[in-house]
């Protein structure tokens, strides 16, 4: 199997900006673009392959043809669905305050999967903030009342953010990306979201966007977050590159590399590697890449060599 270059799927939600066009050079087709889905086999947006043997075909079609275990690896084959969804998110305005259910609740209520995710901050304007859990532990009843009487934001934990911050957001964590933040998001392959608060905004139809208060109260963990806003691993320096573990959990492992000269990685039978190029340029073998490229290295591909000057984020299962 060859390495697959993927075409992103773009979303034009009302809070989006222009950085995916201006900074990454994408032709998104929208005046403002909120998200680029860089690795997706979700029904709401399927990546297609750019070039090579499978040019124009969806990643899902290729997985169905080749087989999950062979293309994605033994770990992915344990899931009843393609396990991850990877995005670039440009928040020109505040996102709604929201929460995601866990697998058990989502399967029972939505016939969907739950959503645990991580955010890696690629850039942030001065003073940019995120909402990450609660300031202190409260009851479900207090949570509901704060929504009803307009004091919810006073209860929530606002965190000033900067480039390089890492937020691990387990299902049940109330959260919101603030305006001025550019993020790489790695998440479970789910689009199941319960909106709690939306700043009184109107949707494209001129009506207030739907809130999901009862479900949000059901699934929310109404206490401060357990994890610090930083990568889980220390920065390590090697000849030709640096390496830092961003997140490791039962759903995905994410590592950031700064390539200054060259780096050799490998996939075995257990997992694919997804490469998200967040800055710079280089090549893998004879395949050139640049900022914004999304590359899928099949399981059991063996060694591959990355050369250039680039920041890349590698996700495996």
């Amino acid at each position: 199997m060859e390495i697959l270059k993927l075409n992103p799927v773009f979303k034009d939600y009302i809070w989006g900006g222009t950085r995916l066009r201006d900074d990454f050079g994408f032709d998104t087709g929208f005046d403002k673009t909120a998200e680029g889905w860089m690795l997706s086999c979700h029904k709401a947006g399927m990546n297609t392959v750019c070039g090579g043997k499978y040019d124009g075909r969806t990643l899902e079609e290729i997985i169905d043809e080749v087989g999950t275990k062979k293309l994605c690896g033994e770990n992915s084959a344990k899931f009843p669905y393609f396990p991850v969804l990877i995005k670039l998110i440009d928040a020109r305005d505040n996102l709604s305050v929201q929460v995601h259910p866990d697998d058990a609740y989502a399967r029972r209520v939505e016939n969907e999967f739950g959503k645990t995710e991580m955010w890696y901050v690629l850039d942030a304007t001065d003073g940019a903030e995120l909402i990450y859990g609660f300031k202190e532990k409260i009851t479900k009843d207090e949570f509901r009342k704060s929504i009803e009487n307009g004091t919810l934001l006073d209860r929530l934990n606002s965190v000033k953010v900067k480039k390089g911050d890492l937020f691990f957001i387990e299902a049940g964590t109330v959260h919101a990306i603030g305006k001025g933040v550019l993020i790489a998001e790695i998440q479970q392959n789910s689009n199941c979201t319960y909106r709690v608060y939306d700043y009184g905004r109107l949707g494209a139809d001129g009506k207030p966007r739907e809130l999901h208060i009862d479900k949000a109260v059901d699934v929310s963990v109404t206490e401060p977050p357990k994890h610090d806003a930083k990568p889980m691993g220390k920065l390590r320096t090697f000849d030709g590159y640096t390496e830092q573990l961003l997140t490791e959990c039962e759903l995905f492992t994410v590592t950031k590399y700064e390539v200054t000269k060259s780096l050799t990685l490998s996939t075995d039978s257990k997992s694919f590697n997804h490469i998200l190029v967040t800055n710079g340029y280089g090549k893998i073998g004879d395949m050139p890449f640049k900022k914004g490229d999304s590359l899928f290295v099949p399981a059991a591909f063996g060694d591959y060599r990355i050369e250039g000057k680039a920041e890349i984020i590698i996700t495996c299962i």
Side-chain angles (χ1 to χ4, degrees):
M1 280 292 298
E2 62 193 62
I3 295 174
L4 305 175
K5 182 179 178 181
L6 304 177
N7 293 310
V9 176
F10 297 105
K11 303 290 183 178
D12 64 338
Y13 307 135
I14 61 173
W15 43 263
T18 61
R19 296 193 67 172
L20 296 187
R21 180 193 68 204
D22 299 342
D23 292 8
F24 286 84
F26 292 127
D27 180 6
T28 70
F30 301 122
D31 291 334
K32 60 181 180 181
T33 306
E35 297 181 352
W37 290 19
M38 311 306 292
L39 176 62
S40 175
C41 283
H42 194 275
K43 59 188 176 182
M46 298 276 182
N47 292 134
T48 56
V49 173
C50 177
K53 176 181 177 181
Y54 297 99
D55 184 46
R57 299 184 63 184
T58 68
L59 181 59
E60 184 177 67
E61 288 173 342
I62 301 167
I63 291 171
D64 289 343
E65 178 180 305
V66 176
T68 300
K69 189 173 181 179
K70 184 175 180 181
L71 186 65
C72 303
E74 297 163 5
N75 293 341
S76 292
K78 298 174 184 177
F79 292 85
Y81 59 99
F82 187 78
V84 292
L85 175 57
I86 297 177
K87 303 175 181 178
L88 291 173
I89 299 178
D90 173 22
R92 173 168 283 186
D93 199 358
N94 295 321
L95 275 70
S96 60
V97 179
Q98 55 190 238
V99 66
H100 309 299
D102 62 17
D103 282 338
Y105 188 96
R107 293 296 287 161
R108 176 169 57 83
V109 175
E110 308 291 351
N111 194 31
E112 172 72 286
F113 293 97
K115 185 175 173 182
T116 286
E117 60 192 3
M118 61 138 278
W119 297 337
Y120 180 67
V121 180
L122 298 174
D123 199 12
T125 58
D126 290 342
E129 296 183 344
L130 299 175
I131 290 173
Y132 185 42
F134 289 80
K135 291 178 181 176
E136 58 185 26
K137 187 174 182 178
I138 63 173
T139 66
K140 296 271 191 179
D141 187 55
E142 288 172 323
F143 178 33
R144 183 184 291 275
K145 287 180 179 177
S146 73
I147 298 170
E148 293 170 350
N149 64 25
T151 62
L152 175 62
L153 295 183
D154 296 331
R155 296 280 198 171
L156 296 173
N157 178 41
S158 293
V159 182
K160 291 192 181 298
V161 296
K162 63 184 184 306
K163 180 178 180 179
D165 285 345
L166 186 288
F167 295 84
F168 182 64
I169 302 166
E170 294 177 294
T173 304
V174 177
H175 61 276
I177 302 172
K179 61 183 178 181
V181 184
L182 181 69
I183 277 176
E185 177 179 280
I186 290 84
Q187 59 162 90
Q188 281 182 271
N189 188 9
S190 169
N191 209 26
C192 190
T193 298
Y194 298 145
R195 194 178 294 126
V196 182
Y197 176 78
D198 197 35
Y199 306 94
R201 289 182 295 202
L202 303 180
D205 59 1
K207 299 178 181 179
R209 297 201 296 171
E210 182 182 6
L211 302 180
H212 315 93
I213 304 304
D214 290 340
K215 291 177 178 178
V217 171
D218 281 348
V219 306
S220 293
V221 177
T222 54
E223 58 187 51
K226 295 184 294 186
H227 303 280
D228 295 330
K230 62 182 182 181
M232 292 185 178
K234 294 182 178 180
L235 182 68
R236 302 196 300 163
T237 301
F238 301 92
D239 182 25
Y241 66 95
T242 65
E243 174 186 81
Q244 187 168 32
L245 176 69
L246 298 182
T247 293
E248 186 174 31
C249 65
E250 69 277 7
L251 297 165
F252 43 74
T253 298
V254 186
T255 307
K256 179 176 73 77
Y257 295 92
E258 290 270 5
V259 182
T260 55
K261 185 169 59 178
S262 66
L263 162 68
T264 298
L265 297 173
S266 179
T267 66
D268 58 20
S269 62
K270 293 188 179 298
S271 178
F272 66 89
N273 280 3
H274 177 263
I275 304 171
L276 177 62
V277 185
T278 54
N279 205 8
Y281 59 90
K283 63 179 182 177
I284 302 177
D286 295 328
M287 175 186 286
F289 65 78
K290 65 184 185 307
K291 180 178 179 177
D293 280 350
S294 170
L295 305 169
F296 185 94
V297 183
F301 185 85
D303 291 346
Y304 61 95
R305 183 177 174 86
I306 299 171
E307 298 177 281
K309 295 184 182 300
E311 178 186 85
I312 60 174
I313 294 175
I314 303 283
T315 301
C316 62
I317 303 303

